[in-house]
Amino acid sequence: MDLIERLRAGLPAEALLTDPDVTGSYARDMANFCDAGAPAVVVLPRTVEQVQHVMRTATELRVPVVPQGARTGVSGAANAVDGCIVLSLVKMDRILEINPVDRIAVVEPGVVNAVLSRAVNEYGLSYPPDPSSWESCTIGGNIGTAAGGLCCVKYGVTAEYVLGLEVVLADGRLIKTGRRTAKGVAGYDLTRLFVGSEGSLGVVVRATLALKPAPPRQLALVAEFDSVTAAGEAVCRIMADGHTPSLLELMDRTSVRAVNAMAQMGLPETTEVLLLAAFDTPDPAADLAAVGALCEASGATQVVPADDAAESELLLQARRLAFTALERIKPAMLIDDVCVPRSQLAMMLAGAAAIAEKYDLTIGVCAHAGDGNTHPLVCFDPADPDEERRARESFDEIMALGLHLGGTITGEHGVGVLKKDWLARELGPDGVALHRGIKQVFDPLGILNPGKLF
């Protein structure tokens, strides 16, 4: 009760949620196999000063704080711990500035990705990072997890667009990092340190984001392959030949069949791999023709270019539906995001297929092929203890395979709770010790999102 009263002293009544039935709905994100505790209270601030009040109170009372966005994450990074303050930033949702000369936007963390994208489009600009949940995920959550998206092969991930931040530290102090200029190298790059830190170092309350000129409408093609080796070779040839597609995506046979079953799109179910490429260049048809020739030289059994933007969108819709379609196969799904060097993409796909066979599971793989970021999706029934065990073991084997191939355990979803043990394996003891030392500097009491990352 002391915590609630102390919080109430600096917050409007509507910003404080204490009903256990309500606070329980804020306990977790979308991850499976990740424990979540019962929050003591949920706070929905609207101002920086309110966030500072929450953090000062938490520091004084030694209460853990779990920052949250829209909870669309799949690693458990936004999961509550028992007795914590859940600090939901979704009400801080203002776009404060769009500057077409400096090509920046200044936003609060609760701004939805798609809302920002549409707003800057009115100025002839774009904000490229586009996670698959872009219609609901927030910029603050994207920053916390260093989110990616379909266009990363050409335009890069969230970290490359965050120029500066305003961050409330664990003790309530407000700091500014980075800049709003096109260039700047003053001091350590604290901005990049906060991006991907999953709320463990501070609470982002404002972000200055870089914008790009809006590109032309893209044109796409789809290429069919009868082996993962041929598809992997095509990806390598496309990148080695100097092409810069705006999108280069891959779907395996399991993903294709799932999409057909859900949406009746008429995709070729006999193919082993579908590769989708798109260009938003001044002459996309010429670029597609060159890439189509490379696909054929790599063994594509068929290459179908789109005639216009509308047909391109139909082709790309299949890839966007893959996650949803695979979710329908079983009651639960483990979403992995192992990233490997492009040269190892075929080995990763073949390995995932072998793991699926070994454990007698449905594992669909779709991928941001252009940057080697694979999404093996393990479908299982949690009501079947043996199947759940096999799902867990297959998930671990997939991550081990990714590391063996020179990759990383997460390309864009983050570590959270789900991959804590694997982060330690990837970093090694000295790397973990350095991470913990940095955490100690920013959060000496360990109250910010405890139990996540390491």
Side-chain angles (χ1 to χ4, degrees):
M1 291 305 297
D2 186 35
L3 170 64
I4 305 301
E5 293 305 314
R6 294 278 292 276
L7 289 172
R8 188 171 284 132
L11 295 169
E14 65 272 14
L16 211 60
L17 306 178
T18 58
D19 183 335
D21 291 335
V22 176
T23 59
S25 67
Y26 288 80
R28 62 172 59 249
D29 63 16
M30 298 177 68
N32 286 302
F33 293 150
C34 294
D35 293 335
V41 60
V42 174
V43 179
L44 295 134
R46 291 185 180 270
T47 69
V48 174
E49 292 74 20
Q50 290 171 6
V51 175
Q52 290 182 280
H53 171 68
V54 171
M55 295 313 305
R56 290 189 191 108
T57 301
T59 291
E60 291 167 8
L61 298 180
R62 306 300 196 264
V63 177
V65 178
V66 176
Q68 283 186 354
R71 291 179 288 117
T72 58
V74 291
S75 70
N79 284 11
V81 296
D82 285 335
C84 75
I85 300 168
V86 163
L87 185 58
S88 174
L89 300 158
V90 294
K91 300 294 186 182
M92 296 180 70
D93 59 356
R94 294 179 299 162
I95 298 174
L96 302 170
E97 179 185 355
I98 298 173
N99 188 320
V101 174
D102 295 331
R103 293 183 180 173
I104 61 169
V106 181
V107 305
E108 292 183 326
V111 172
V112 171
N113 186 296
V115 171
L116 174 62
S117 294
R118 294 184 183 115
V120 302
N121 283 347
E122 295 180 9
Y123 293 80
L125 299 169
S126 71
Y127 178 68
D130 61 341
S132 59
S133 58
W134 77 301
E135 290 282 5
S136 55
C137 65
T138 61
I139 296 298
N142 294 170
I143 291 170
T145 58
L150 298 184
C151 70
C152 294
V153 61
K154 180 173 182 178
Y155 292 104
V157 295
T158 297
E160 294 167 68
Y161 292 87
V162 182
L163 297 176
L165 296 171
E166 292 186 25
V167 182
V168 175
L169 299 179
D171 59 8
R173 286 178 294 160
L174 177 67
I175 66 166
K176 296 183 179 181
T177 73
R179 63 195 193 278
R180 55 182 289 143
T181 56
K183 296 164 69 176
V185 293
Y188 294 137
D189 192 349
L190 296 182
T191 303
R192 278 292 185 107
L193 186 60
F194 282 108
V195 177
S197 65
E198 302 184 13
S200 65
L201 301 179
V203 181
V204 172
V205 291
R206 189 167 295 182
T208 301
L209 305 173
L211 304 175
K212 298 285 187 183
R217 294 288 296 273
Q218 61 184 1
L219 281 181
L221 65 72
V222 60
E224 301 175 32
F225 294 89
D226 58 11
S227 73
V228 295
T229 301
E233 181 182 340
V235 171
C236 292
R237 286 193 180 195
I238 291 166
M239 302 310 293
D241 209 44
H243 294 285
T244 309
S246 55
L247 175 148
L248 190 59
E249 296 288 308
L250 176 151
M251 298 171 63
D252 72 351
R253 179 193 286 192
T254 301
S255 302
V256 168
R257 289 181 172 180
V259 170
N260 273 346
M262 182 181 76
Q264 290 79 49
M265 295 191 72
L267 299 173
E269 295 193 355
T270 56
T271 189
E272 286 296 320
V273 178
L274 281 185
L275 186 67
L276 297 108
F279 285 87
D280 56 10
T281 52
D283 188 6
D287 289 308
L288 287 180
V291 164
L294 291 174
C295 289
E296 290 172 345
S298 300
T301 56
Q302 188 172 7
V303 176
V304 181
D307 292 326
D308 53 35
E311 190 176 350
S312 295
E313 186 56 35
L314 282 175
L315 291 176
L316 301 180
Q317 185 65 15
R319 169 62 183 86
R320 294 191 181 101
L321 290 174
F323 279 33
T324 304
L326 285 162
E327 280 182 320
R328 293 159 54 95
I329 292 176
K330 290 280 186 173
M333 187 168 74
L334 271 168
I335 302 173
D336 212 335
D337 69 322
V338 171
C339 190
V340 298
R342 296 184 191 100
S343 58
Q344 299 298 315
L345 186 60
M347 295 295 292
M348 186 68 204
L349 292 170
I355 291 168
E357 183 176 358
K358 173 182 176 180
Y359 288 99
D360 190 23
L361 292 168
T362 298
I363 301 178
V365 181
C366 49
H368 310 310
D371 53 26
N373 195 171
T374 68
H375 292 295
L377 309 173
V378 182
C379 307
F380 70 100
D381 183 356
D384 181 336
D386 183 65
E387 190 163 284
E388 179 175 320
R389 174 192 60 78
R390 286 183 279 127
R392 287 178 181 267
E393 291 180 7
S394 70
F395 186 78
D396 284 343
E397 285 206 21
I398 288 167
M399 284 191 286
L401 173 63
L403 290 180
H404 174 72
L405 294 175
T408 176
I409 60 167
T410 176
E412 57 187 4
H413 293 163
V415 175
V417 177
L418 187 63
K419 298 186 176 182
K420 281 173 58 175
D421 293 342
W422 284 98
L423 178 66
R425 299 190 200 190
E426 180 171 334
L427 295 178
D430 291 337
V432 170
L434 285 171
H435 277 64
R436 287 177 174 158
I438 293 168
K439 165 78 168 171
Q440 176 70 20
V441 169
F442 284 90
D443 180 22
L445 298 177
I447 63 171
L448 274 169
N449 214 6
K452 314 298 166 53
L453 290 168
F454 43 79

